Amino acid sequence: KKQIDQVTPEQVLDMQARGESVVYLDVREPNEWNLGRMPKAIHIPRGNLENKVEALIDRGQKVVVYCARGNRSALAALTMKQMGYENVASMARGFIGWADIGGEVVD
């Protein structure tokens, strides 16, 4: 986690309030995604990331990656950084942290 940028769910709420252009990338498994997710999130399970991310997300885009608790998203953010994505961060505490602070959830 020291090799990547991390943002908190609170910082993500602030980004949304400011209307920042951010891609929210959910790297959880399909069964987790189906239970609820952040609005407008893109879904690529962690195991499919390397094969699918370049077709869906431009390298210049600001990206916040999240999973359930922040571990898989940290690995995904590191992978994306190694692939040339320069503005990518993992959301600490993950989707659970997002829900805990009252972040919007859609299903």
Side-chain angles (χ1 to χ4, degrees):
K1 290 184 181 179
K2 293 177 182 170
Q3 299 177 53
I4 58 160
D5 293 327
Q6 289 201 79
V7 293
T8 65
E10 292 84 359
Q11 289 171 309
V12 172
L13 270 180
D14 289 343
M15 287 179 207
Q16 290 182 343
R18 289 191 300 269
E20 288 188 31
S21 176
V22 180
V23 172
Y24 299 102
L25 174 59
D26 188 320
V27 295
R28 298 175 301 157
E29 293 302 310
N31 61 318
E32 296 171 290
W33 163 266
N34 290 336
L35 295 174
R37 59 196 157 277
M38 292 176 65
K40 300 180 185 167
I42 293 175
H43 183 232
I44 306 174
R46 172 66 194 94
N48 298 333
L49 183 70
E50 293 87 343
N51 296 328
K52 296 191 174 183
V53 69
E54 291 177 298
L56 297 174
I57 301 173
D58 184 87
R59 287 179 196 263
Q61 183 66 50
K62 183 173 186 171
V63 182
V64 172
V65 187
Y66 72 92
C67 61
R69 292 183 177 83
N71 296 316
R72 286 172 286 178
S73 60
L75 291 170
L78 180 59
T79 298
M80 289 177 70
K81 190 176 169 184
Q82 292 167 342
M83 292 175 73
Y85 287 83
E86 295 179 11
N87 198 354
V88 60
S90 171
M91 186 167 70
R93 305 191 325 263
F95 186 71
I96 292 170
W98 175 255
D100 284 348
I101 66 160
E104 185 180 354
V105 174
V106 297
D107 50 335

